[in-house]
Amino acid sequence: MRPPFLAATVVFLAATAATAETPVLTVLTYDSFVSEWGPGPAVEKAFEETCGCDLRFVAAGDGAALLSRLKLEGAASEADVVLGLDTNLVAEATATGLFAPHGQPAAAALPVPYDDPLFLPYDWGWFAFVYDKTRLTAPPASFEALAASDVKVVIQDPRSSTPGLGLLMWVKAAYGDRAPEIWKGLADNIVTVTPGWSESYGLFLQGEADMVLSYTTSPAYHRIAEKDDTKDWAPFSEGHSLQVEVSGVLAASDQPDLARAFVAFTQTPGFQSVIPKTNWMYPASATTLPEGFETARPEKSLLITADEARAARDGALAEWQAALAQ
């Protein structure tokens, strides 16, 4: 008979060995993805059931902050996968040389063709200004109408937030050379600029502003999760800018097979089915949308290509900063 202390030692050593042999996959993403109400917990559980690995999410602020962190860390980054860049950032991300091909076919359910060997879409949506129907009964229907009104808005910083950068590209796509004029008109409508989406949406819900930069799908959260139909998005006559969010494999990953397996997993029902009611975006593969998820879609979509976004970014940022500094 094995002595009790020896049996305990054997069990401890076996558990330690098993832990040591379990591969770890690190996914760098944005804060809201890994929140308790975001997709992260369900995605982690579903992927770990198939991968025989330990999936670990590392949050790094909002979407645009991911690229800044990667450029700082370079090949020394602990991440194997980055999830949360968008089409306004992928050209700059490609230029870093930090990403490897994902090896997957193009996503099947986007409103526009998108096929990139380095970045695979996992969801998409339209940017919009969200408002409370009980407080604002006649929201502005264009950027020019917003600028001419006394409506107060909160937006996100384009240097750290993908929605913030998306707003810059939205104004640029809609107005081109007139963008500085539009920003000058909007400057006194902006209550504050937050680092990320969560902060600005929280301020809006607290009544600190009449409208908040978000998505056409944001009211779905209130309708479905809170049984609250008081929030809506304002259709703009210029059209609405389209955002496509992507994931990518880091070339320096020490788990390249697992990393590619995770990116492939983002297209499966185990991942895609949780997107509408956790990330509150449209899934990138054919998935049945929850009842009440959408009430309408923008009549016109605006999308600047990745290369156009990279070329326009610095100039658009300078226009935005100049207008808000006055």
Side-chain angles (χ1 to χ4, degrees), residues 110-134:
L110 297 181
V112 294
Y114 189 88
D115 190 3
D116 188 318
L118 298 182
F119 299 101
L120 186 65
Y122 62 90
D123 70 15
W124 60 276
W126 285 280
F127 293 119
F129 282 94
V130 172
Y131 68 101
D132 187 323
K133 294 185 286 187
T134 66

Side-chain angles (χ1 to χ4, degrees), residues 12-312:
F12 172 77
L13 290 175
T16 301
T19 300
E21 293 171 1
T22 301
V24 175
L25 184 73
T26 302
V27 176
L28 182 67
T29 188
Y30 45 82
D31 289 347
S32 61
F33 194 92
V34 298
S35 66
E36 61 181 359
W37 48 265
V43 168
E44 180 178 3
K45 180 181 179 181
F47 187 64
E48 287 184 344
E49 288 176 352
T50 67
C51 73
C53 69
D54 179 9
L55 174 60
R56 297 180 184 176
F57 287 112
V58 174
D62 214 328
L66 302 179
L67 183 56
S68 296
R69 175 164 172 171
L70 281 177
K71 291 170 73 173
L72 179 65
E73 295 177 346
S77 174
E78 66 176 330
D80 301 293
V81 173
V82 175
L83 183 147
L85 302 178
D86 71 3
T87 46
N88 289 324
L89 292 170
V90 294
E92 186 176 352
T94 299
T96 67
L98 295 174
F99 290 87
H102 53 68
Q104 297 299 310
L110 297 181
V112 294
Y114 189 88
D115 190 3
D116 188 318
L118 298 182
F119 299 101
L120 186 65
Y122 62 90
D123 70 15
W124 60 276
W126 285 280
F127 293 119
F129 282 94
V130 172
Y131 68 101
D132 187 323
K133 294 185 286 187
T134 66
R135 297 177 54 209
L136 188 63
T137 56
S142 68
F143 282 110
E144 290 181 303
L146 174 57
S149 74
D150 59 1
V151 170
K152 299 302 181 184
V153 303
V154 283
I155 64 173
Q156 298 93 49
D157 193 323
R159 295 163 295 188
S160 57
S161 164
T162 49
L165 180 58
L167 178 59
L168 289 193
M169 297 299 106
W170 184 4
V171 172
K172 182 61 70 174
Y175 288 98
D177 292 340
R178 289 188 60 208
E181 172 192 340
I182 298 300
W183 280 117
K184 184 177 179 180
L186 292 172
D188 61 357
N189 299 94
I190 299 171
V191 175
T192 192
V193 178
T194 65
W197 175 89
S198 297
E199 300 95 327
S200 59
Y201 207 84
L203 290 173
F204 163 70
L205 293 178
Q206 294 165 20
E208 297 297 323
D210 303 307
M211 303 179 82
V212 59
L213 174 65
S214 194
Y215 298 88
T216 64
T217 49
S218 296
Y221 166 78
H222 301 284
R223 287 194 299 269
I224 296 172
E226 298 180 337
K227 310 303 179 185
D228 174 9
D229 193 35
T230 63
K231 311 299 187 297
D232 208 346
W233 58 276
F236 273 23
S237 58
E238 301 94 335
H240 289 255
S241 187
L242 189 69
Q243 181 188 43
V244 179
E245 293 192 300
V246 300
S247 65
V249 175
L250 284 171
S253 169
D254 59 3
Q255 299 288 344
D257 292 338
L258 264 181
R260 286 191 290 271
F262 178 80
V263 170
F265 175 74
T266 66
Q267 307 301 295
T268 69
F271 185 104
Q272 292 285 298
S273 64
V274 305
I275 288 297
K277 292 178 68 174
T278 57
N279 224 31
W280 302 98
M281 295 282 276
Y282 288 96
S285 65
T287 303
T288 301
L289 295 175
E291 183 177 354
F293 184 78
E294 64 176 5
T295 56
R297 294 190 175 194
E299 294 184 2
K300 180 180 179 181
S301 295
L302 303 173
L303 180 64
I304 290 180
T305 69
D307 289 336
E308 289 170 341
R310 186 185 183 199

